[in-house]
Amino acid sequence: MELNIDILREKMERNQGESRRVQGDKEKLLYELDGIQAELEKCNMVSSRLENEKDDACADIDQSRDKYNKLQVQNQSHSSEGALSSLEEALNDRDKQMNQLREQR
């Protein structure tokens, strides 16, 4: 009977040692998990900031594109005005030359 008690005592001590080891592993894993969660939160914050910066950059690009298109329209308008002025000058010169030719006849 004492032999059975000794055997049971040994098993109980081994189980207690194993239980302490498992508890230590559990605490270590929980600590590591906390660190991983903190890193994940940082990644999420960085990702959110990058998304905001991307949105801001897209808005800036859209504004720049709108300004560029407006400048192109203005430039075309000025070019048209310039071409029209040149055409008017050419017509006036032609009229002057025609009048001079008529006077010479």
Side-chain angles (χ1 to χ4, degrees):
M1 176 99 157
E2 278 193 38
L3 183 61
N4 285 340
I5 291 175
D6 289 340
I7 292 172
L8 289 174
R9 191 174 285 138
E10 274 182 38
K11 284 184 179 181
M12 185 177 78
E13 287 173 1
R14 276 191 305 231
N15 285 343
Q16 286 175 342
E18 183 68 19
S19 177
R20 282 191 295 272
R21 187 186 65 74
V22 168
Q23 183 64 30
D25 289 347
K26 177 184 170 187
E27 289 173 6
K28 180 181 174 186
L29 289 172
L30 287 173
Y31 178 78
E32 289 176 5
L33 182 61
D34 285 343
I36 291 170
Q37 286 175 331
E39 288 298 315
L40 183 59
E41 287 175 11
K42 287 179 188 176
C43 288
N44 287 337
M45 287 176 25
V46 168
S47 176
S48 178
R49 275 191 239 143
L50 287 174
E51 190 65 32
N52 289 339
E53 288 179 16
K54 177 186 154 213
D55 291 343
D56 291 345
C58 287
D60 289 345
I61 289 170
D62 289 342
Q63 287 177 345
S64 296
R65 188 176 290 129
D66 289 344
K67 286 180 183 178
Y68 175 76
N69 288 337
K70 286 178 184 177
L71 287 173
Q72 274 189 323
V73 168
Q74 286 177 353
N75 189 28
Q76 288 173 352
S77 173
H78 290 299
S79 294
S80 297
E81 289 173 6
L84 185 59
S85 295
S86 296
L87 185 58
E88 287 175 346
E89 287 177 23
L91 288 174
N92 286 335
D93 288 344
R94 184 197 64 161
D95 288 343
K96 287 179 186 176
Q97 287 176 353
M98 286 178 65
N99 285 335
Q100 286 176 355
L101 288 174
R102 283 186 193 140
E103 289 175 3
Q104 289 176 0
R105 285 189 200 173

